[in-house]
Amino acid sequence: MSGLLSVSDVSVAFGEARVLDSVSLSVRRGEFVGLVGPNGAGKTTLLRAINGVREPDAGTVSVDGDRQADCSAKAWSRRVATVPQDTSVSFAFRVEDVVEMGRAPHRRRTQFGTSERDRRRVEDALELTNTVDLRDRRIDELSGGERQRVFVARALAQDTPLLALDEPTASLDVNHQVEILRLVRDLVGDGRAGLAAIHDLELAARFCDRLALLSDGVIRAVGPPETVLRSGALDPAFETTTAIATNPVTGTPTVTAGADIDEGRATVVSDARRVHVVGGGRIGSHAIASLRRVGHEPSAGVLRTGDVAFETAESLGVPIVTTPAAGPVDPDAVATAHELAGDASVVVLADVEIGPRQWTLDLAEGAPAVVLLEERSLSERLHSGDRARERYERLRERATIVDPGDVLSAVEAAAGPVEQPADD
């Protein structure tokens, strides 16, 4: 793949505020790069510097060897096509007319009407974006996903080597988000290059070849998604605590961000408890992080390696009992979990699955106090017979039962006050 976009030491300031500070980035032909980072990081400003809307205060932008500073606005529009975040329009144009607007940079001043070349490009763009059946509809009648596809078609009709997209999935439901990014992925694979600001880190990881993490106007990390989406880079950029795992379906990174794990806003408990958390996933991860945040002493397991709760516990230095990501749970791991649970004053079952061996129930039944975090119904989590259901119902009779977000108050209520030694 040959180099196509080159951004070299680009800086942009608005008054006293420097929005971009010596940013450098390259995108190769055939590559889709996701620009990620918190709101206000400078992503939109960087895209505007690339598409020519905002001239950099310093540095250079080049596409296919041509410097932006050496090109007219019209010539640059033949190199970079933009899909804006806001696809609202002031007039009720027909879809085909909107797509044809992409041909403006290629038209001569003396040209009247639509040339055969323009027609072919518009037709190709409509077909590639699956908007042929929309061509006679008014743009203001379309859904958000349909309108976004039309603006991608307009950029495609512009016939440029580089596509620059500013939050192309903003305000779309998940099905349309996937549809748009898959479309861009296919278009880039056809020999173009793509650079998109994407707010959803997991979608960016799924569809982009590389990610560039922008924070406070500086590129903090660039590389394949699995090398950029790491807590060490994400935590300072987003000012939160993150846990990274692998999506078992796509094989790409998943990110769980916990703004509620901000230690600066946490109230540290005066009576720390030993708490053992059973159950993984998002709910187990939240429980582990919340307990650790306020000063309790959590342990966790049995957790499968790669589970988001495993990643959370490992990143926070919480004792964990693990078993391989696939296959039956290791009996030795269950035995070790019994030791940790036996040392705890509270056992938390975090929306647990109950399998034929029922070891999750075994861990809780001997505990002095039990907290049940329930999000799904028992029937969704029960993979055993009536005996397991009866055991769980008996456990419920003495447990503190709350929604997952109330784990801290539930632990306090379940454990009661810490007994103080009597004075001599």
Side-chain angles (χ1 to χ4, degrees), residues 328-387:
V329 174
D330 183 355
D332 290 339
V334 174
T336 304
H338 271 285
E339 294 177 8
L340 288 177
D343 186 45
S345 59
V346 182
V347 168
V348 175
L349 297 189
D351 206 45
V352 293
E353 305 276 342
I354 303 170
R357 290 172 56 194
Q358 303 175 31
W359 61 266
T360 52
L361 299 180
D362 294 339
L363 291 176
E365 283 180 336
V370 178
V371 170
L372 302 182
L373 305 182
E374 296 184 340
E375 184 174 72
R376 297 170 294 167
S377 67
L378 179 58
S379 60
E380 293 179 84
R381 299 181 281 118
L382 185 63
H383 310 292
S384 192
D386 291 339
R387 172 64 178 153

Side-chain angles (χ1 to χ4, degrees), residues 83-88 129 131 134 139 142-152 165-184 196-200 203 207:
V83 177
Q85 182 178 152
D86 183 6
T87 58
S88 59
T129 55
T131 52
L134 304 177
I139 189 72
L142 304 184
S143 68
E146 290 171 332
R147 195 163 57 246
Q148 198 74 313
R149 278 192 287 133
V150 169
F151 276 80
V152 173
L165 306 97
D166 190 5
E167 300 285 8
T169 60
S171 303
L172 299 181
D173 61 41
V174 66
N175 289 335
H176 287 122
Q177 290 175 9
V178 170
E179 178 182 291
I180 290 297
L181 291 179
R182 183 176 287 128
L183 170 61
V184 176
I198 303 175
H199 69 275
D200 189 308
L203 284 175
F207 289 99

